[in-house]
Amino acid sequence: MSLEVRPATADLWDDVRKVLQPKKSAHTCWCMAWRLSTGDYGRMTADERGEHLRALAEKADPPPGVLGFLDGEVAGWCNVAPRRQLDRLTSSKTITPVDDVPVWSVTCFVVRKEFRGKGVASGLLEGAVEHARANDAPAVEGYPVDPEGGRVNPTLAYVGTMDMFERAGFRRVRRTEAKSDRRHRWVMRRDLV
């Protein structure tokens, strides 16, 4: 598999939509749950969340995430940004900062159904690291779930798994109080400098 990973810029908006809103739904997150405060997120409609992400793709420097392409077809998305830009994460009581390093955070993976099981999420993680590196990030963190020897419900594994992060060179920093599928999530970090 040769996954091409590109920053999610305005010219790729149709691809972002194809991954994040394959069907019109009032519940579409648009990967905004970590970028907005809980209150702001709850007050917005799915369309408003989509417009907010579109504005980030058009104006934000750096772009709000990366897209992965297989054979020219968009296969998935990864939300990656400086932690300080992720309102809900900066105020989280369960995933607290480890130190004062201005890390970038990987918070979400979305892989289109027809591309699952092909290593797309792993490729997106590497692409997210390179995106952060290109924008002078000193380190990248993720908050994946620890399967604890079992299998995690795929819909709750959107944060990634510890194994995937470890294969990408991330180290375990500490267990958090956050959970996915009733299993703990960990702060994992990859230093870039």
Side-chain angles (χ1 to χ4, degrees), residues 112-184:
R112 293 176 62 205
K113 191 174 185 178
E114 58 269 33
F115 294 101
R116 292 182 188 152
K118 298 182 179 189
V120 172
S122 294
L124 284 165
L125 180 55
E126 281 297 331
V129 167
E130 291 311 311
H131 179 57
R133 184 189 316 272
N135 286 282
D136 301 320
V140 179
E141 283 184 352
Y143 316 100
V145 62
D146 181 357
E148 300 171 7
R151 185 163 167 77
V152 178
N153 179 325
T155 60
L156 299 173
Y158 67 93
V159 295
T161 62
M162 289 181 64
D163 291 346
M164 181 177 80
F165 277 79
E166 286 173 335
R167 284 192 306 271
F170 285 71
R171 63 182 166 81
R172 296 178 191 208
V173 177
R174 74 168 176 231
R175 191 175 87 167
T176 74
E177 293 304 313
K179 293 185 177 180
S180 275
D181 202 12
R182 297 184 306 272
R183 294 175 173 99
H184 282 280

Side-chain angles (χ1 to χ4, degrees), residues 84-137:
R84 71 186 182 310
Q85 292 180 5
L86 304 171
D87 289 349
R88 189 163 163 213
L89 187 56
T90 58
S91 64
S92 175
K93 304 288 187 237
T94 59
I95 304 175
T96 56
V98 172
D99 51 34
D100 293 333
V101 175
V103 299
W104 279 45
S105 296
V106 171
T107 56
C108 185
F109 298 88
V110 180
V111 177
R112 293 176 62 205
K113 191 174 185 178
E114 58 269 33
F115 294 101
R116 292 182 188 152
K118 298 182 179 189
V120 172
S122 294
L124 284 165
L125 180 55
E126 281 297 331
V129 167
E130 291 311 311
H131 179 57
R133 184 189 316 272
N135 286 282
D136 301 320

